Amino acid sequence: MDFKEIIEDIYKKTAALKNKGQIASYIPELLKIDPNKFGVHISTIDGFNFGIGDYQDKFSIQSISKVLSLSMAYNIVGEKIWKRLDVEPSGTAFNSLVQLETEKGIPRNPFINAGAHVICDILLSHLKNPKEDFLTFVRSITQNSEINYNTKVVTSEKSVGYRNVALCNLIKSFGNLDNEPSEVLDFYFHLCSLEMSCQELSQLFMYLANDGKTIDNSQQILTKSQSKRVNALMQTCGFYDESGEFSFKVGLPGKSGVGGGIIAVHPDQYVIAVWSPNLNEKGNSYKGMCFLEEFTTKTELSIF
Ligand code: GLU
């Protein structure tokens, strides 16, 4: 399979499309990004790496970090994690309060904001220096010390994070947070502010294509079964209220963020990361979705 030629061809076609959608405007700091940035990077299980466009530019990975926090918490507490949250698609917006009320503070899944707050709470209870320890965990997966939080994005999110504050307080009122909402939120906003490039993302997430092991097989980030389950959750819940559409059109487990990034995983084959900041009305990168649909169509390499 000539990934380089296929990616170059689809990149050219996708870059020429009208750049529909809009940058996430509710986080003021994200509005500073050039909407025409567009990068793609693939890493394969047999060691092939290729990037095109702005694949080395760092951007705010936002909700893509929810896969990393889930992986770290799952590794620490194992299956009892599922006592605190569910594994069902929500069918509502990522920051919706409605289900939490009727479902008594148990979030539908770890990728909606409420679920990510519970994961942050679990990590806060288990880590000595949560922000440093989380960064060390992420950096150690690819031995990449360049990965960092962006404190401007943290401050910007805190200044407008009313819904996240409401969600955390509601979960706390049901007794599903052990720590104070303010601590959970501070940690959560830091995780969302992580910055990475498409190249770094595709290399970092190789453990989900490699049965939970880092690509050099030196670290077991998740067990084989946990890796399968995280992929299953990405397949069913990774794209907000458009997870069905992504499955239908692209056919890969993946996760998007409102910074315009998408990672998609083909277990045992490859990880591909795409970044284009303009989002469609469901909050997923417009060009990112177009690119990935073409990619799995041309390569016939979706999981279905
Ligand atoms: N930090 C964002 C929020 O909590 C995450 C949004 C996302 O990427 O889904 O609203």
Side-chain angles (χ1 to χ4, degrees):
M1 179 80 62
D2 191 345
F3 281 128
K4 181 173 179 291
E5 197 179 310
I6 294 171
I7 289 173
E8 281 172 341
D9 183 49
I10 305 172
Y11 182 88
K12 224 190 285 161
K13 285 190 192 131
T14 315
L17 294 175
K18 189 168 178 285
N19 197 7
K20 289 195 197 157
Q22 282 184 335
I23 289 195
S25 57
Y26 74 101
I27 303 174
E29 193 64 24
L30 295 186
L31 272 174
K32 294 183 182 162
I33 301 158
D34 174 0
N36 295 315
K37 290 283 179 184
F38 183 28
V40 178
H41 191 275
I42 189 167
S43 301
T44 72
I45 203 86
D46 48 17
F48 176 77
N49 279 280
F50 175 70
I52 190 163
D54 302 306
Y55 71 97
Q56 287 177 316
D57 285 23
K58 285 178 184 282
F59 59 93
S60 192
I61 73 165
Q62 290 292 318
S63 275
I64 297 175
S65 68
K66 293 180 168 86
V67 183
L68 298 167
S69 48
L70 169 65
S71 298
M72 192 182 193
Y74 204 5
N75 174 296
I76 296 172
V77 300
E79 294 311 311
K80 62 176 189 289
I81 200 169
W82 307 120
K83 289 192 178 137
R84 304 272 308 268
L85 67 166
D86 210 340
V87 293
E88 292 297 337
S90 71
T92 58
F94 68 104
N95 54 8
S96 168
L97 287 131
V98 179
Q99 281 167 344
L100 261 190
E101 173 70 11
T102 52
E103 295 173 7
K104 304 204 171 2
I106 302 291
R108 277 283 174 111
N109 66 66
F111 298 148
I112 52 172
N113 286 13
H117 296 153
V118 169
I119 296 290
C120 283
D121 184 61
I122 293 171
L123 288 174
L124 283 176
S125 299
H126 284 86
L127 303 176
K128 258 207 187 103
N129 301 299
K131 283 183 255 183
E132 292 78 3
D133 295 352
F134 181 76
L135 208 49
T136 305
F137 167 77
V138 175
R139 286 173 171 177
S140 78
I141 298 175
T142 44
Q143 318 289 324
N144 180 348
S145 58
E146 310 266 287
I147 299 171
N148 257 311
Y149 302 122
N150 179 333
T151 48
K152 281 191 185 154
V153 173
V154 175
T155 310
S156 184
E157 278 216 68
K158 277 190 182 169
S159 72
V160 293
Y162 304 110
R163 250 175 194 277
N164 281 309
V165 172
L167 285 165
C168 252
N169 280 298
L170 193 52
I171 304 169
K172 181 78 179 170
S173 77
F174 281 109
N176 196 16
L177 287 187
D178 294 328
N179 298 278
E180 282 307 309
S182 59
E183 291 172 70
V184 173
L185 288 164
D186 178 62
F187 189 36
Y188 171 80
F189 290 137
H190 273 84
L191 305 197
C192 291
S193 83
L194 271 185
E195 290 191 325
M196 274 183 240
S197 66
C198 289
Q199 181 171 25
E200 289 167 332
L201 280 170
S202 71
Q203 289 166 351
L204 177 69
F205 280 103
M206 281 307 284
Y207 69 93
L208 290 174
N210 194 35
D211 291 334
K213 289 190 299 286
T214 51
I215 192 64
D216 62 0
N217 291 326
S218 67
Q219 284 184 74
Q220 190 86 46
I221 307 299
L222 294 170
T223 65
K224 194 171 175 178
S225 157
Q226 288 173 335
S227 175
K228 178 198 78 179
R229 290 180 167 185
V230 172
N231 275 310
L233 281 164
M234 292 202 296
Q235 185 75 43
T236 50
C237 313
F239 292 83
Y240 311 114
D241 205 9
E242 200 174 29
S243 301
E245 184 95 355
F246 189 83
S247 232
F248 184 73
K249 288 186 169 163
V250 179
L252 292 174
K255 183 76 198 84
S256 58
V258 295
I262 298 180
I263 55 137
V265 180
H266 193 312
D268 302 326
Q269 299 262 3
Y270 63 83
V271 176
I272 190 161
V274 185
W275 174 48
S276 169
N278 271 5
L279 309 179
N280 65 21
E281 60 292 342
K282 294 280 172 70
N284 293 308
S285 168
Y286 170 71
K287 285 198 176 178
M289 295 267 288
C290 296
F291 179 92
L292 290 169
E293 182 179 0
E294 267 307 287
F295 181 75
T296 53
T297 306
K298 284 264 157 63
T299 58
E300 297 181 13
L301 279 176
S302 87
I303 64 163
F304 299 109

